[in-house]
Amino acid sequence: MHKHIEWDTPGGESVDSHYAKDPQHRVEPHPGMILTAQYKGATARIKVEAYVDGVSIGKVAALIDDMGERHDSHAGLDVGDMVRLPDDKRAFQSPRQDD
């Protein structure tokens, strides 16, 4: 069973927007890949188990706050949760915030 997640809009870190300009380098996710998404201000890393119709399915492998600290959970999302990540929500990792 997948946990329903409302991913943050990736904005300037959007993988889709980046590869729209250069589609020849776009790679379809495959099992074992680690993807990134933003969730309520944190970075979530997802280890892909399957890819179906523009959606990656996998487990949360890491949750990282904007200072680079790793956490076991964040706003109801836990490391190990099975989630679905649509291509349009994939993101490059945001730059770390300094004090």
Side-chain angles (χ1 to χ4, degrees):
M1 183 79 176
H2 303 100
K3 186 170 208 170
H4 179 74
I5 297 298
E6 293 291 332
W7 300 106
D8 295 350
T9 301
E13 285 85 32
S14 171
V15 171
D16 261 3
S17 293
H18 176 80
Y19 287 112
K21 301 170 198 156
D22 191 13
Q24 70 183 10
H25 291 105
R26 184 182 193 88
V27 175
E28 185 174 291
H30 58 273
M33 282 183 78
I34 302 292
L35 304 179
T36 302
Q38 298 299 318
Y39 177 68
K40 297 194 178 191
T43 298
R45 297 281 174 81
I46 313 302
K47 185 172 184 181
V48 177
E49 293 186 9
Y51 182 74
V52 180
D53 297 327
V55 177
S56 297
I57 302 164
K59 289 184 180 176
V60 177
L63 293 165
I64 306 163
D65 67 22
D66 62 356
M67 296 302 291
E69 298 287 324
R70 290 179 177 260
H71 300 275
D72 291 332
S73 64
H74 176 75
L77 181 62
D78 299 311
V79 169
D81 283 345
M82 183 69 72
V83 296
R84 298 170 60 85
L85 176 60
D87 282 348
D88 67 341
K89 298 299 182 177
R90 288 175 52 200
F92 293 107
Q93 185 167 347
S94 299
R96 204 175 101 192
Q97 301 294 318
D98 292 326
D99 292 355

